[in-house]
Amino acid sequence: MTIAIIGAGIAGAACAQRLQQQGQHVVVFDKGRAVGGRMSSKRTSAGYLDLGAQYFTARTPAFSSQCQRWLAQQVIERWHGALGLIEQGMLGASPDATERYIGIPSMQKPVQQLLADISVQHAEVSAVHFEQGCWQLYAGADLLGQFQQLVLAVPQQQAARLLQQVIESQWQLKSLFAQIALLPCWAVNIELAESDSLPVQFDGIFVKQDAQISWLARQGSKTGRAGPQHWLVHFTPAWSAEHLELSADEVAQHALAALQRVFNTRVKAVATLSHRWRYAQQVADYPLLGALRLHDVKLGLCGDWLNGGRVENAWLSGKQLAEELAL
Ligand SMILES: Cc1cc2nc3c(=O)[nH]c(=O)nc-3n(C[C@H](O)[C@H](O)[C@H](O)COP(=O)(O)OP(=O)(O)OC[C@H]3O[C@@H](n4cnc5c(N)ncnc54)[C@H](O)[C@@H]3O)c2cc1C
């Protein structure tokens, strides 16, 4: 069977690797210049910057085993960053001692490893058509190929755009796309002046009950990332949704102000980098299916949005779909 997978994030990569192990012929398409999706780190002359996923945890035996393999292959390591918590404006140590992993030297490394022997084409799929039992994929007017099975491993809203016509005729898809599954997140990296430092001993800080920000991290606490002057700010889904169309510079100003507010200090930014994740984090009450296979239209869907919005859940979703496709 020839299978097209749209999306080379961790879900698409896990699905592709499993299908290839089962002897299927798989081609993966991704619009990004590199694979990894929301696990991508931005390469800079100072080192990588993690703007999306910050780390991942392993709560299931299957993903724990996968993490052990990645540890042995040296594509991930345990992150020993000191974790803090700001609650009601007070900063203290976080009681959460869960083991956390990071890709080295960048977040996408484990995705690259999964896709090492798989054909990946860097193209944005703009349309898909199901005709005479086959899927045709297009980038504009160009036919990318014809496949017996299609897997969509992209965020919900991006899958909806590609599947508009199919959704109308499939009741399972209608209910899956009726409610929004993923909310946005603005991420800003701030490089502080050499003379400035934040008065904190923590490397990652959960920010609770704040109307603006949810997470702060020192990039330099991770192997391969930019130095100690680089701080990452994640805005909350609600703030990000409300300010989605601000410019990158405007959001950077808000990030610097928030950093100064929570640490009650004045610092100067020498450079900022803002990234708008339009489809970032799972809506809490979205009903989870794990993955979905529709036999009659030879279509499969996987991704974090179907399984709970974390790296581990995205990987599990991709693997689940591959196993369902083998039946
Ligand atoms: C800011 C942020 C912080 C996060 N922090 C954490 C964290 O600390 N820990 C954790 O476990 N999880 C975290 N997550 C969630 C985690 O990153 C995701 O759950 C996981 O990476 C999703 O993987 P995925 O494969 O389902 O989707 P994605 O990674 O989004 O992959 C989808 C891929 O599809 C491609 N694509 C989309 N449309 C098309 C098209 N038309 N044609 C071709 N390619 C297309 C995209 O380029 C992308 O590479 C975070 C996410 C964000 C955004």
Side-chain angles (χ1 to χ4, degrees), residues 31 38 155-158 161 180-187 237 240-241 243-246 275-283:
K31 64 182 176 151
R38 278 169 279 163
Q156 181 206 35
Q157 292 92 328
Q158 291 172 326
R161 276 203 286 280
I180 284 180
L182 295 173
L183 296 171
C185 175
W186 268 111
S240 302
H243 299 87
L244 200 58
E245 303 309 331
L246 287 188
H275 187 87
R276 173 176 35 211
W277 298 99
R278 284 189 183 275
Y279 316 112
Q281 294 167 40
Q282 183 99 40
V283 170

Side-chain angles (χ1 to χ4, degrees), residues 6-12 29-32 36-39 51-57 123-126 153-155 158 162 185 187 234 277 279-281 303-305 309-312 314:
I6 306 178
I10 187 82
F29 296 89
D30 200 288
K31 64 182 176 151
R38 278 169 279 163
M39 284 181 76
L51 299 172
Q54 297 293 295
Y55 55 78
F56 49 93
T57 53
E124 176 161 3
V125 180
S126 56
V154 302
Q158 291 172 326
L162 287 173
C185 175
H234 274 167
W277 298 99
Y279 316 112
Q281 294 167 40
D304 68 333
W305 63 280
R310 294 167 43 241
V311 167
E312 176 175 22

Side-chain angles (χ1 to χ4, degrees), residues 211-277:
Q212 238 187 340
I213 60 171
S214 57
W215 169 256
L216 299 165
R218 193 197 303 267
Q219 301 275 7
S221 66
K222 299 173 183 172
T223 303
R225 275 58 167 194
Q229 295 304 96
H230 291 261
W231 277 87
L232 174 83
V233 179
H234 274 167
F235 285 89
T236 63
W239 193 93
S240 302
E242 200 181 325
H243 299 87
L244 200 58
E245 303 309 331
L246 287 188
S247 70
D249 284 347
E250 285 169 319
V251 178
Q253 293 299 324
H254 282 286
L256 184 64
L259 210 56
Q260 300 187 126
R261 170 175 60 82
V262 297
F263 294 121
N264 195 21
T265 186
R266 284 202 71 74
V267 282
K268 216 169 124 213
V270 292
T272 59
L273 178 70
S274 305
H275 187 87
R276 173 176 35 211
W277 298 99

Side-chain angles (χ1 to χ4, degrees), residues 3 136 163 168 199 203 326:
I3 305 175
Q136 292 172 350
L163 292 177
E168 286 311 307
D203 300 309

